[in-house]
Amino acid sequence: MVQGLQSLKRKLRDLPKKTRMVLEADLSVIGREVNVEQRARAPKDEQVLTSTIRTEAIGGDRIGVNIRAGGDATTRPVRNGADASYDYAMAQEHGTEDMAPMPFFYGPIRTKKRQIKRRVTQAVKKAARSL
């Protein structure tokens, strides 16, 4: 458990609107940088998959972004299944019984993890100084 997590959550929730906007913009930039690397690693024969790689703001009273790939555009029916379907993005990342994994999604996040943490810390400090 992280010490002071509840205090940090409370402070982030109470940030002034302008400061929240700056912090959310910084986090979005970081997410889009990861997306660029993910697109570079995605299979070149699957343009639909590449187009679904995105960064979305969490929204509401929370500050943050979700980095995602796949969704409706990459959901396909199972070849031998009745009403079943699967997300092609997950099949690319993890493989199937008929296809070896071709990871594109988690690698850039792992590679940039230390850099992401540092940049998030800098963004939070920058936002806190503007209080």
Side-chain angles (χ1 to χ4, degrees), residues 1 3 6 8-10 13 19 24-25 40 81 98 107 130:
M1 180 162 199
Q3 289 182 328
Q6 293 304 318
L8 175 62
K9 285 181 179 181
R10 187 173 46 257
R13 187 180 56 243
T19 304
E24 287 172 348
D98 298 327
S130 69

Side-chain angles (χ1 to χ4, degrees), residues 14-72:
D14 295 340
L15 285 175
K17 187 175 183 176
K18 181 180 177 187
T19 304
R20 289 176 62 92
M21 288 172 49
V22 168
L23 183 54
E24 287 172 348
D26 287 347
L27 293 173
S28 290
V29 168
I30 293 167
R32 286 193 300 273
E33 288 173 5
V34 170
N35 292 156
V36 168
E37 182 68 27
Q38 290 169 325
R39 286 186 192 101
R41 292 184 183 196
K44 303 301 178 232
D45 61 339
E46 188 54 55
Q47 292 299 318
V48 174
L49 174 60
T50 303
S51 71
T52 67
I53 297 172
R54 63 205 182 274
T55 295
E56 302 171 338
I58 291 176
D61 64 344
R62 297 173 56 202
I63 298 173
V65 295
N66 287 320
I67 297 174
R68 299 180 184 241
D72 291 341

